[in-house]
Structures are given as C-alpha cells and as structure tokens.
Amino acid sequence: LLPLLVLQASVGVRSPVRSIAIDPHLFHPAHGIRRLLVVTDRAELCELSAGSGDVLCVQRGHSSSCAAGAFGGSGGELWGLATHPTDADTFVTVSDDRMLRLWSIKARRMVKEASLELPARAVCFSSNGQTILVGCGNGAGLLHSPTKNSLSDGYFLLIDTASLQVIHKRRDTSSWIREASFGPNDELFALAAADKRIYIYRNDASKRFKLKCILHSHTAPITSLDFSSDGSFIQSTSSEGELLVHNTEYGNVMALPSQLKTIQWATVTSTYGWPVLGLWPICDAVAASEINVAETCPSSALGCDDPISVDRSRDGKYLVACSSSGKLQLLHYPVKTRPKDH
C-alpha cells in the first residue's frame, strides 16, 4: 500500500481514493504495475501511470460525499442545470460541492470546471451564452438554527463563459438563491431567494448591475421565473401553487386577466397556467363528495402524478415535463389537454 499512497500524493489526486483497478494486460512480472485506474471520493475517475507518476482524469463530476461535513450534513447535491442558448452540445451545472462544471452532450463528459468557493443551487446562461449567472447558498445554517443563514447565502456571481472567470459578485439578501433567470435581451436578470422575494437587476453598459426593484408578493418559496419576450413582465410560481405576474419596471402585480392574455413568454418553466393545464391529472382516488379529504391529503397519496418541472423549447414547439412519479414526457406546446403516456 505504501507505493500507492506515495503515488496518490505525487499526482495530486484531490480527495481520498475509494477504489482501484489494475489492468492485467499491463502488468509485467519483472516491472510490476504499470497503469491503474483510481476512483476517488469526489466522483473522479483517474488513470495513473506507476512509472512516470502521470495522471489523466478520465471523468469528473459533482460529488455528494465530499461536501457532507462542510455543509452541515447537506451533502453536495446537484441542483442547478441550464442548457446553452446557442450551442446545443453544452450545458452547465452547479452544486453544493462549490463547483461549476461545463459538459458536452455528445462526448458525455465534463469539459471544463471552476471552483466557485461557495455552494450554489441556481444557474442560467445569458441569451447570447457569453455570461453565466449563478445563485449561491444552500441554507446550511438553517439546519442548526431556524433563524441562522449560512455566510454564503444570498450571493450571486456573473461568470464569463469562455474563461469561467468571475465578472461580478454581489449580495443583497441573506437568504440562499433558489432560482435565476436572464431577460431576453440580457438587460435584466432576476434572482428568487429563500426569503420569498424576487430581486431584479439592470445590466447596464457600465457593468454596475444595479438593483432595480424587489418583489414581495409571494407567500411561499419561489419555484420558477420567466421573463416575457420584451422583458416588460416576469411570471413566477411558488410551492403553494401561486402564479404571479409582475411588471418589471415598477414591480407591481398584474392581476387582471385582460392584462395578461397577450403576453408572450421568452421562456416557460412554470408548472401553472393555461399553456400547461393538460399536465395536471384528474385525481380519481377521492370522490367529489370527499373534496375536503383531497384538500388535506398530498396529491401523491391520492394517486395523482403532478408535474414538478417543465421547460419549453426555444422555438416554442415542444415542452418537456417531469412528474412527481419520475415520468419524463416530451410534448407539443401548448399542452391544453391531458396527454397520453409517452
């Protein structure tokens, strides 16, 4: 074991080794092990040369075990994912493990990574793909005290996609960021925090990223953000079934149906609204006479298969939806009637 420990120290594998495998075809009776594969505690798969000490990281990914102690037992779960708006092969992920990673769909592997030094759970690309917006924090402090936030909660980062260098870092809330979204022309971007507020920023030519307004209307944690095609409105949903539309200029709620019917949305990630009405199941486990039971029981107990995440294609033709049972569906947009199983 001693040579392996020395080899681990010399090649700079960044976390404890969990498993090793030796290629029998590369084992020489006189010279011993020539090459071996090492799997680390951070989901890294590395090929090591015993002779030269060279290391080739074949694969890396987000890890849950490496972060469990650092984040109060929350682990390094992957929360944030966004696809590139102009490059169909690229997507980005962020995690509680404090890493941002760019991936290739065709190659099925990570192609670039950067340390954020902060746990992160929200991420999105600007409309031209040149900037990545990251919302930081994971509420780890709340595990120890209901009123104590983590020191990382509330920060957001603007990162250059090409270099993965941080362009701007700011904090206007002490609550962790749940959702992030750029406006269609990149003049505005929005962050939804765990304090149930939405923070809208203006991305001006001077790169000062001024806080434009704060929206206070939600009464529950916010679960999605979508800008209108002209950036004049933003719609948001919450975990309590709220669907609200605000004017981005003044921050007031648009309550009249006549104000909403002509709005075109740049993105659709809301699980509520007429365009996704057909996703919602009719729960037949409880009769109409027992509606009071249905109001107090979770939909999963009633045999319902509720949508929990949706995203519309950029051409507006398709919608992908994931349900509480784990079902993944690709549908024509809008979804006005209950779809068949796909």
Side-chain angles (χ1 to χ4, degrees):
L1 291 178
L2 181 59
L4 291 179
L5 295 175
V6 174
L7 182 61
Q8 177 185 351
S10 66
V11 300
V13 176
R14 296 176 297 173
S15 48
V17 173
R18 297 294 298 272
S19 178
I20 61 173
I22 300 171
D23 189 339
H25 301 290
L26 296 177
F27 181 84
H28 194 278
H31 302 288
I33 300 172
R34 291 185 175 181
R35 189 173 299 172
L36 64 155
L37 288 176
V38 175
V39 178
T40 75
D41 203 32
R42 292 189 56 169
E44 297 166 316
L45 176 62
C46 300
E47 184 180 87
L48 306 181
S49 172
S52 64
D54 293 337
V55 58
L56 171 65
C57 274
V58 180
Q59 184 61 281
R60 284 176 177 167
H62 294 287
S63 171
S64 60
S65 59
C66 68
F71 304 138
S74 63
E77 299 174 345
L78 190 156
W79 280 56
L81 183 151
T83 57
H84 197 284
T86 60
D87 181 3
D89 183 50
T90 300
F91 67 96
V92 63
T93 56
V94 294
S95 164
D96 281 354
D97 67 3
R98 306 187 180 203
M99 298 297 294
L100 178 146
R101 304 180 190 271
L102 286 174
W103 304 79
S104 167
I105 296 175
K106 293 179 181 178
R108 299 185 179 183
R109 62 177 299 169
M110 187 196 72
V111 294
K112 193 183 295 187
E113 66 177 347
S115 174
L116 301 175
E117 300 182 355
L118 298 169
R121 293 187 170 185
V123 65
C124 68
F125 282 101
S126 60
S127 60
N128 58 17
Q130 297 178 3
T131 305
I132 301 172
L133 172 62
V134 178
C136 299
N138 61 358
L142 300 177
L143 295 174
H144 306 286
S145 171
T147 59
K148 181 180 179 181
N149 292 298
S150 169
L151 295 177
S152 64
D153 290 352
Y155 281 102
F156 74 84
L157 308 174
L158 289 168
I159 297 174
D160 178 72
T161 303
S163 65
L164 296 188
Q165 296 296 311
V166 175
I167 303 170
H168 188 76
K169 179 180 179 180
R170 179 167 172 165
R171 186 191 200 192
D172 290 299
T173 174
S174 60
S175 299
W176 64 279
I177 306 301
R178 298 179 58 97
E179 299 290 335
S181 180
F182 263 104
N185 53 12
D186 296 336
E187 290 184 3
L188 300 175
F189 61 88
L191 301 167
D195 59 8
K196 307 170 190 175
R197 298 176 181 178
I198 300 172
Y199 298 79
I200 299 180
Y201 295 85
R202 180 175 295 280
N203 181 9
D204 58 19
S206 62
K207 301 296 182 181
R208 294 180 180 177
F209 308 106
K210 297 179 180 179
L211 179 60
K212 183 178 177 62
C213 59
I214 302 176
L215 312 181
H216 305 261
S217 303
H218 278 288
T219 61
I222 297 160
T223 55
S224 71
L225 294 173
D226 295 299
F227 278 95
S228 63
S229 298
D230 61 1
S232 298
F233 304 95
I234 187 169
Q235 72 171 357
S236 52
T237 59
S238 78
S239 58
E240 291 297 324
E242 298 168 313
L243 171 60
L244 301 179
V245 177
H246 290 83
N247 184 296
T248 58
E249 184 65 28
Y250 305 106
N252 55 304
V253 177
M254 313 300 290
L256 299 177
S258 60
Q259 299 173 315
L260 309 177
K261 63 181 181 180
T262 60
I263 299 177
Q264 300 295 318
W265 298 104
T267 60
V268 175
T269 59
S270 167
T271 56
Y272 307 123
W274 289 109
V276 295
L277 182 63
L279 292 176
W280 288 90
I282 299 174
C283 301
D284 54 5
V286 177
S289 59
E290 299 174 308
I291 190 64
N292 59 321
V293 178
E295 290 175 348
T296 57
C297 295
S299 57
S300 57
L302 303 177
C304 298
D305 194 14
D306 294 347
I308 58 174
S309 181
V310 303
D311 196 8
R312 190 193 63 187
S313 62
R314 290 186 173 85
D315 60 10
K317 295 181 179 180
Y318 305 101
L319 184 89
V320 63
C322 181
S323 69
S324 55
S325 68
K327 182 189 297 182
L328 185 67
Q329 293 179 298
L330 180 63
L331 308 160
H332 290 284
Y333 181 85
V335 187
K336 296 182 179 180
T337 58
R338 181 68 177 161
K340 298 179 181 179
D341 290 339
H342 288 252

mmCIF file of all heavy atoms in Angstrom, residues 4-13:
data_model
loop_
_atom_site.group_PDB
_atom_site.id
_atom_site.type_symbol
_atom_site.label_atom_id
_atom_site.label_comp_id
_atom_site.label_asym_id
_atom_site.label_seq_id
_atom_site.Cartn_x
_atom_site.Cartn_y
_atom_site.Cartn_z
ATOM 1 N N LEU A 4 1.266 3.030 -3.355
ATOM 2 C CA LEU A 4 0.024 3.661 -3.787
ATOM 3 C C LEU A 4 -0.183 4.980 -3.074
ATOM 4 O O LEU A 4 -0.631 5.969 -3.666
ATOM 5 C CB LEU A 4 -1.159 2.732 -3.540
ATOM 6 C CG LEU A 4 -1.229 1.477 -4.412
ATOM 7 C CD1 LEU A 4 -2.440 0.647 -4.022
ATOM 8 C CD2 LEU A 4 -1.263 1.820 -5.885
ATOM 9 N N LEU A 5 0.126 5.038 -1.796
ATOM 10 C CA LEU A 5 -0.028 6.272 -1.043
ATOM 11 C C LEU A 5 0.934 7.340 -1.542
ATOM 12 O O LEU A 5 0.583 8.508 -1.660
ATOM 13 C CB LEU A 5 0.196 6.002 0.449
ATOM 14 C CG LEU A 5 -0.830 5.090 1.132
ATOM 15 C CD1 LEU A 5 -0.407 4.825 2.571
ATOM 16 C CD2 LEU A 5 -2.215 5.700 1.085
ATOM 17 N N VAL A 6 2.158 6.925 -1.854
ATOM 18 C CA VAL A 6 3.128 7.862 -2.406
ATOM 19 C C VAL A 6 2.675 8.367 -3.757
ATOM 20 O O VAL A 6 2.778 9.549 -4.085
ATOM 21 C CB VAL A 6 4.516 7.200 -2.501
ATOM 22 C CG1 VAL A 6 5.501 8.108 -3.214
ATOM 23 C CG2 VAL A 6 5.036 6.836 -1.121
ATOM 24 N N LEU A 7 2.135 7.452 -4.569
ATOM 25 C CA LEU A 7 1.657 7.834 -5.895
ATOM 26 C C LEU A 7 0.500 8.817 -5.780
ATOM 27 O O LEU A 7 0.437 9.811 -6.500
ATOM 28 C CB LEU A 7 1.206 6.584 -6.658
ATOM 29 C CG LEU A 7 0.713 6.799 -8.094
ATOM 30 C CD1 LEU A 7 1.823 7.395 -8.937
ATOM 31 C CD2 LEU A 7 0.241 5.481 -8.695
ATOM 32 N N GLN A 8 -0.409 8.588 -4.828
ATOM 33 C CA GLN A 8 -1.539 9.494 -4.643
ATOM 34 C C GLN A 8 -1.045 10.895 -4.310
ATOM 35 O O GLN A 8 -1.543 11.892 -4.833
ATOM 36 C CB GLN A 8 -2.453 8.996 -3.524
ATOM 37 C CG GLN A 8 -3.615 9.946 -3.251
ATOM 38 C CD GLN A 8 -4.445 9.496 -2.057
ATOM 39 O OE1 GLN A 8 -4.262 8.411 -1.539
ATOM 40 N NE2 GLN A 8 -5.350 10.350 -1.633
ATOM 41 N N ALA A 9 -0.062 11.002 -3.437
ATOM 42 C CA ALA A 9 0.452 12.309 -3.045
ATOM 43 C C ALA A 9 1.168 13.001 -4.195
ATOM 44 O O ALA A 9 1.076 14.205 -4.372
ATOM 45 C CB ALA A 9 1.405 12.141 -1.869
ATOM 46 N N SER A 10 1.871 12.219 -5.028
ATOM 47 C CA SER A 10 2.677 12.832 -6.078
ATOM 48 C C SER A 10 1.861 13.351 -7.236
ATOM 49 O O SER A 10 2.219 14.345 -7.865
ATOM 50 C CB SER A 10 3.707 11.817 -6.593
ATOM 51 O OG SER A 10 3.043 10.736 -7.238
ATOM 52 N N VAL A 11 0.734 12.695 -7.564
ATOM 53 C CA VAL A 11 -0.033 13.116 -8.728
ATOM 54 C C VAL A 11 -1.094 14.140 -8.364
ATOM 55 O O VAL A 11 -1.741 14.697 -9.246
ATOM 56 C CB VAL A 11 -0.699 11.903 -9.420
ATOM 57 C CG1 VAL A 11 0.353 10.915 -9.865
ATOM 58 C CG2 VAL A 11 -1.719 11.237 -8.500
ATOM 59 N N GLY A 12 -1.325 14.375 -7.093
ATOM 60 C CA GLY A 12 -2.239 15.440 -6.707
ATOM 61 C C GLY A 12 -3.695 15.091 -6.812
ATOM 62 O O GLY A 12 -4.529 15.951 -7.084
ATOM 63 N N VAL A 13 -4.061 13.811 -6.678
ATOM 64 C CA VAL A 13 -5.474 13.454 -6.617
ATOM 65 C C VAL A 13 -6.085 14.155 -5.412
ATOM 66 O O VAL A 13 -5.574 14.050 -4.300
ATOM 67 C CB VAL A 13 -5.650 11.925 -6.514
ATOM 68 C CG1 VAL A 13 -7.117 11.579 -6.353
ATOM 69 C CG2 VAL A 13 -5.073 11.253 -7.744
#
